[in-house]
Amino acid sequence: MKSLHNLQEDALTRLFAVGAVLGPAMEEGLAEQGLTSARAEVIWRLHHGGPMTQRQLSDALQCTPRNVTGLVDALEDSDLVERRPHPADRRAIHVTLTKQGEAATADWTARSRQLARRIFSDVHREDLETLITTIDVILERLDAPKP
């Protein structure tokens, strides 16, 4: 019987293996759409969070405002996002998805659903619920400040 420490190490090894497979597959899919993972994250955040200022995007992405400017410029050139006046603050600009940006997220959602069904088609509901709960705990711990 494996010790708890060995099981923890095995679990982490498997998480790395999943990342090693999913990461390149995601990059390939994004490249087909002419996107980098950083640009895709901007689109994803706008899709889930609605219009944001570049400062809000900078905070969400944990990068410099200058980096966000470059990302938004490239996405604007691709007609995936646009800058609009902030509705409540004349000094601020909102970044929002265009119709083409919304279409890109709809395509990602459809592809994600197909992949999820393929991967999890014969996994029991209770096992999926346990997996989701466990991943949520892992993500929470990874996001927590280090002691």
Side-chain angles (χ1 to χ4, degrees):
M1 178 187 274
K2 289 188 178 186
S3 71
L4 179 58
H5 292 297
N6 286 340
L7 287 171
Q8 291 169 340
E9 290 170 8
D10 286 351
L12 186 59
T13 297
R14 283 171 174 77
L15 285 175
F16 283 135
V18 168
V21 172
L22 284 179
M26 184 178 85
E27 295 289 335
E28 183 179 318
L30 293 173
E32 289 172 6
Q33 296 181 322
L35 292 171
T36 64
S37 59
R39 291 177 190 171
E41 187 174 359
V42 171
I43 293 170
W44 182 83
R45 290 198 181 266
L46 292 172
H47 176 71
H48 289 284
M52 296 182 192
T53 64
Q54 288 190 191
R55 170 55 79 185
Q56 289 170 316
L57 281 170
S58 174
D59 292 343
L61 298 171
Q62 298 180 339
C63 67
T64 65
R66 180 181 175 130
N67 193 18
V68 169
T69 298
L71 292 169
V72 171
D73 286 347
L75 290 167
E76 198 170 40
D77 289 345
S78 299
D79 196 33
L80 294 169
V81 303
E82 63 185 355
R83 291 174 170 103
R84 293 183 180 169
H86 191 287
D89 184 351
R90 292 184 328 184
R91 299 167 296 161
I93 299 292
H94 257 165
V95 180
T96 186
L97 291 175
T98 62
K99 288 183 181 183
Q100 190 171 333
E102 288 289 351
T105 60
D107 181 54
W108 297 344
T109 301
R111 288 180 186 208
S112 293
R113 283 186 182 133
Q114 288 174 345
L115 180 60
R117 287 184 180 116
R118 184 169 64 91
I119 293 171
F120 300 116
S121 65
D122 60 350
V123 177
H124 292 85
R125 178 184 186 88
E126 296 80 18
D127 292 336
L128 284 173
E129 290 171 348
T130 299
L131 176 64
I132 291 165
T133 300
T134 302
I135 290 172
D136 286 346
V137 169
I138 292 166
L139 290 171
E140 185 178 304
R141 289 181 181 166
L142 290 172
D143 284 341
K146 295 177 184 168

